[in-house]
Amino acid sequence: MKALQLVAPRTLELATMPDPPEPGRGEVLVRIRACGVCGSDMHYYLEDACAGTKAVYPSVLGHEPAGSIEEIGPGVEHLAAGTPVAVEPALTCGQCEPCRIGRPNLCLNSQFLGGAQGPGLLREYAVVPAHNVVPLPEEMSFSEATVIEPLAVLVHSVELAGLQMGETVLVMGAGPIGVLGVATAKIAGASRIIAADRIEHRLAAAREAGADAAVHVDRESVRDAVMDLTHGLGVHVAIDAAGKPDSINTALHCLRFGGRLVIIGIPSQQFVGVDLWRAMHQEISIHVQKRSNANDHEALDMLVRGQIDTGRFITHHVPLQEGVKAFEAVANYSDGVLKAVVEL
């Protein structure tokens, strides 16, 4: 089968991999038809590592996939060949303590498809457990379905933040995750949303997604904008989707007393200085997020109801043979790119 392989930093090659085995008990063979390019893919592509995990060469990236079931294994009764599906890329055991208490994203035996632990989904076929696929409505395109995985991440962000209707929100970083953060906060009932970034077309995307203010961080003070919109109180919730020391601390300083900070962005460095005195003085709650937590069905429901404008969100569709162009566009913030999808 064909696959897009990362063979060195900033170097992707179209390669031939062995076909996957026949699906075993409880498994399905999925033909991948589309896969989104994520920020964590870019860490491996640009930096040779992601969150301290070194890249393995060659490897296959991609963990926002959708496709169709080609074959079902023994014991799979609720799915059939030809069913369009999205694929959850984290293979969890279902038996460890985090899995048993409803925190499968913290599974002690998890294998994540999309980096060093296992090959990602920028390949033609994959065998996965049947419980890792989410059936799609027939009218949903495969490209549109790639939004399920990142949107599920933001659903979990709102859970962690405990966002209540009428509260105010700051989103630092208006890339794909940040823009989905704006949209999800709007759906959850936020009364005021401020987005901050330094890329003009991303700020425009944040406004289209529902941001009441979009702050260019190189030209304006994020804190001043927040205080103007919140009558000097600060926001209830800040979501950091940039993963930079400055963005994290700016978010912290924009929170009101008792505010909540959710960090989704992945820093490039292991140790990030955080103003803990400020957090202590205001009793700020800080949540550091790990992917989604079985939120795929909620994300799918939001897409089915048309609550996310995937037509505006997905800006680039690239065939597998030219997949490197998607990574280059995202790396260089070029051509107005927000979300790039590789189609197989």
Side-chain angles (χ1 to χ4, degrees), residues 161-168 188-191 237 260:
L163 179 62
Q164 301 294 312
M165 186 173 293
E167 290 189 323
T168 51
S191 61
V237 170
R260 291 95 72 194

Side-chain angles (χ1 to χ4, degrees), residues 6-23:
L6 182 69
V7 297
R10 287 184 176 263
T11 307
L12 293 161
E13 293 180 356
L14 190 65
T16 300
M17 292 179 62
D19 290 335
E22 295 290 315

Side-chain angles (χ1 to χ4, degrees), residues 8 10-11 50 59 93 100 106 118 121 141 146 155 177 194 212 226 252 316 320-321 329:
R10 287 184 176 263
T11 307
C50 180
S59 64
C93 72
R100 294 199 310 271
L106 303 181
L121 287 308
S141 73
T146 65
V155 174
I177 289 295
I194 303 98
D212 298 281
V226 165
L252 181 61
H316 288 62
L320 182 67
Q321 293 82 354

Side-chain angles (χ1 to χ4, degrees), residues 212-226:
D212 298 281
V215 182
H216 193 296
V217 299
D218 293 333
R219 301 173 189 162
E220 307 171 65
S221 164
V222 177
R223 191 172 189 278
D224 286 352
V226 165

Side-chain angles (χ1 to χ4, degrees), residues 92-172:
T92 55
C93 72
Q95 303 299 319
C96 67
E97 181 179 352
C99 284
R100 294 199 310 271
I101 65 172
R103 300 294 300 276
N105 64 321
L106 303 181
C107 174
L108 301 179
N109 305 299
S110 176
Q111 181 185 21
F112 189 72
L113 303 181
Q117 289 185 322
L121 287 308
L122 283 169
R123 52 184 164 129
E124 290 183 298
Y125 296 95
V127 171
V128 297
H131 59 76
N132 274 69
V133 303
V134 178
L136 304 174
E138 292 290 343
E139 65 272 14
M140 182 173 288
S141 73
F142 293 117
S143 289
E144 184 180 9
T146 65
V147 181
I148 292 173
E149 197 278 340
L151 180 56
V153 171
L154 272 305
V155 174
H156 186 38
S157 302
V158 169
E159 290 177 340
L160 289 175
L163 179 62
Q164 301 294 312
M165 186 173 293
E167 290 189 323
T168 51
V169 176
L170 168 66
V171 178
M172 294 297 298

Side-chain angles (χ1 to χ4, degrees), residues 95 193 203 279 313:
Q95 303 299 319
I193 304 170
L203 292 171
F313 181 70

Side-chain angles (χ1 to χ4, degrees), residues 2-343:
K2 297 296 184 184
L4 191 65
Q5 290 188 335
L6 182 69
V7 297
R10 287 184 176 263
T11 307
L12 293 161
E13 293 180 356
L14 190 65
T16 300
M17 292 179 62
D19 290 335
E22 295 290 315
R25 175 164 291 277
E27 295 180 331
V28 294
L29 172 67
V30 179
R31 180 185 178 188
I32 307 299
R33 302 297 298 273
C35 187
V37 176
C38 177
S40 57
D41 294 325
M42 299 307 297
H43 279 281
Y44 282 120
Y45 175 70
L46 295 171
E47 302 170 3
D48 188 46
C50 180
T53 300
K54 292 285 290 181
V56 175
Y57 302 110
S59 64
V60 179
L61 302 176
H63 56 267
E64 300 176 352
S68 56
I69 293 177
E70 289 282 299
E71 187 178 345
I72 61 173
V76 178
E77 299 178 352
H78 63 292
L79 296 167
T83 303
V85 294
V87 179
E88 162 57 49
L91 310 184
T92 55
C93 72
Q95 303 299 319
C96 67
E97 181 179 352
C99 284
R100 294 199 310 271
I101 65 172
R103 300 294 300 276
N105 64 321
L106 303 181
C107 174
L108 301 179
N109 305 299
S110 176
Q111 181 185 21
F112 189 72
L113 303 181
Q117 289 185 322
L121 287 308
L122 283 169
R123 52 184 164 129
E124 290 183 298
Y125 296 95
V127 171
V128 297
H131 59 76
N132 274 69
V133 303
V134 178
L136 304 174
E138 292 290 343
E139 65 272 14
M140 182 173 288
S141 73
F142 293 117
S143 289
E144 184 180 9
T146 65
V147 181
I148 292 173
E149 197 278 340
L151 180 56
V153 171
L154 272 305
V155 174
H156 186 38
S157 302
V158 169
E159 290 177 340
L160 289 175
L163 179 62
Q164 301 294 312
M165 186 173 293
E167 290 189 323
T168 51
V169 176
L170 168 66
V171 178
M172 294 297 298
I177 289 295
V179 169
L180 285 179
V182 169
T184 306
K186 195 77 171 179
I187 294 165
S191 61
R192 292 285 187 276
I193 304 170
I194 303 98
D197 203 291
R198 54 172 41 92
I199 308 296
E200 289 287 1
H201 70 260
R202 289 184 163 192
L203 292 171
R207 291 188 194 95
E208 291 172 356
D212 298 281
V215 182
H216 193 296
V217 299
D218 293 333
R219 301 173 189 162
E220 307 171 65
S221 164
V222 177
R223 191 172 189 278
D224 286 352
V226 165
M227 293 306 164
D228 284 346
L229 280 173
T230 61
H231 308 292
L233 294 173
V235 293
H236 296 86
V237 170
I239 297 174
D240 180 76
K244 307 295 184 184
D246 286 349
S247 66
I248 292 170
N249 281 289
T250 296
L252 181 61
H253 280 256
C254 289
L255 286 163
R256 64 179 63 196
F257 281 77
R260 291 95 72 194
L261 170 62
V262 178
I263 302 173
I264 311 172
I266 302 173
S268 297
Q269 62 272 65
Q270 181 176 4
F271 298 103
V272 176
V274 176
D275 187 353
L276 285 181
W277 285 354
R278 176 79 175 203
M280 288 177 171
H281 180 60
Q282 297 192 188
E283 199 173 60
I284 301 299
S285 298
I286 301 175
H287 300 273
V288 183
Q289 181 173 345
K290 183 178 182 181
R291 299 194 290 266
S292 68
N293 189 41
N295 304 105
D296 309 74
H297 291 278
E298 296 159 277
L300 173 60
D301 185 56
M302 292 166 68
L303 293 178
V304 169
R305 285 184 282 147
Q307 292 180 298
I308 303 295
D309 188 348
T310 56
R312 290 182 180 271
F313 181 70
I314 300 172
T315 56
H316 288 62
H317 300 259
V318 180
L320 182 67
Q321 293 82 354
E322 300 175 11
V324 64
K325 293 182 179 179
F327 280 77
E328 289 174 346
V330 175
N332 298 319
Y333 308 107
S334 61
D335 194 30
V337 66
L338 186 62
K339 171 60 74 175
V341 172
V342 176
E343 297 177 336

